[in-house]
Amino acid sequence: MSTKTPDQQNIILDKILVERRSHRQFKQEFPPEEDIRGIIRAGLYAPFAAAAVGGTEDYFRRFFVLKNGSKSMTAAASLIFEKAAVMASTLEQTMEEDPQLRIQASGFANRLAMIKKMGQVPGVGTAPYFIVVAERKGFPPVEQQALAHVLENMWLKATALGLGFQLVSITAQMEENPAFCILLGISPGEWALIGCAVGYPAKELPPSIRPPIDEVTRWLE
């Protein structure tokens, strides 16, 4: 049982919530494996859709840790970049045929174009660790919502440990990719995926700016 009072715990939690940021530049130094295990443990305790997957015989959540410089990281980086390049080309062609989509997707298209120019997907091979989280698909299909809870827990734990954290959202597009799934040791299409990069941040980021609560909140009677 915690020896801290509720007020003390609340202060600590508020501090972590405010300090949580997206880091995209990392030092080469590897954090201790125990810290990575702690981040995974936090993700393991995230909520899940019991009605959708609770009846499966084996556990419905998996974590895969890829270390920078390893064969698995090199393979994953190549496969994910290839996917990003295909997505960029497909979106570009579709936008030419659909003016409305061109307006809506221009920001994302620019992001994909930048990745193609860089020759790598940020977060995959640019940080000491790339962690892939898998949630078994069920019914109703709420696995991505469950993964969002997992990543938030992991993100907050990384922040508490003084580590940088970057969401690698394109990982979700790899769930049907046979080569990527074989790399992880799972069956294509059976699991929803998401990924993140973890390491010591290369620089301190300024505080996150949010609007006053009263500007975005309406109390209903």
Side-chain angles (χ1 to χ4, degrees), residues 27-104:
K27 297 179 181 178
Q28 295 183 354
E29 179 184 357
F30 288 95
E33 287 192 9
E34 187 55 35
D35 285 357
I36 303 302
R37 292 177 182 275
I39 291 171
I40 292 172
R41 186 179 302 110
L44 195 59
Y45 276 95
F48 59 92
V53 297
T56 56
E57 293 183 2
D58 60 336
Y59 206 67
F60 48 83
R61 186 170 291 166
R62 297 284 189 275
F63 299 84
F64 306 91
V65 182
L66 291 73
K67 192 172 183 179
N68 205 14
S70 66
K71 292 181 180 179
S72 60
M73 181 73 88
T74 300
S78 177
L79 291 168
I80 294 177
F81 175 75
E82 181 181 333
K83 179 64 176 181
V86 171
M87 289 173 60
S89 299
T90 302
L91 181 58
E92 183 178 347
Q93 181 178 353
T94 307
M95 288 171 60
E96 291 179 358
E97 303 169 355
D98 187 341
Q100 184 62 33
L101 180 63
R102 186 160 57 244
I103 296 173
Q104 295 176 336

Side-chain angles (χ1 to χ4, degrees), residues 127-200:
Y129 288 102
F130 172 50
I131 304 175
V132 178
V133 188
E135 190 90 355
R136 186 182 293 279
K137 294 182 179 181
F139 187 86
V142 291
E143 48 274 355
Q144 280 298 338
Q145 290 93 318
L147 287 173
H149 296 314
V150 175
L151 265 291
E152 182 69 11
N153 270 22
M154 295 172 69
W155 210 329
L156 294 175
K157 180 64 174 182
T159 302
L161 290 169
L163 296 175
F165 191 100
Q166 178 186 359
L167 176 64
V168 186
S169 58
I170 196 174
T171 312
Q173 307 300 318
M174 305 300 292
E175 63 180 37
E176 303 277 356
N177 187 290
F180 189 76
C181 290
I182 288 174
L183 177 67
L184 301 182
I186 60 177
S187 298
E190 289 188 7
W191 302 76
L193 305 177
I194 197 65
C196 61
V198 180
Y200 290 111

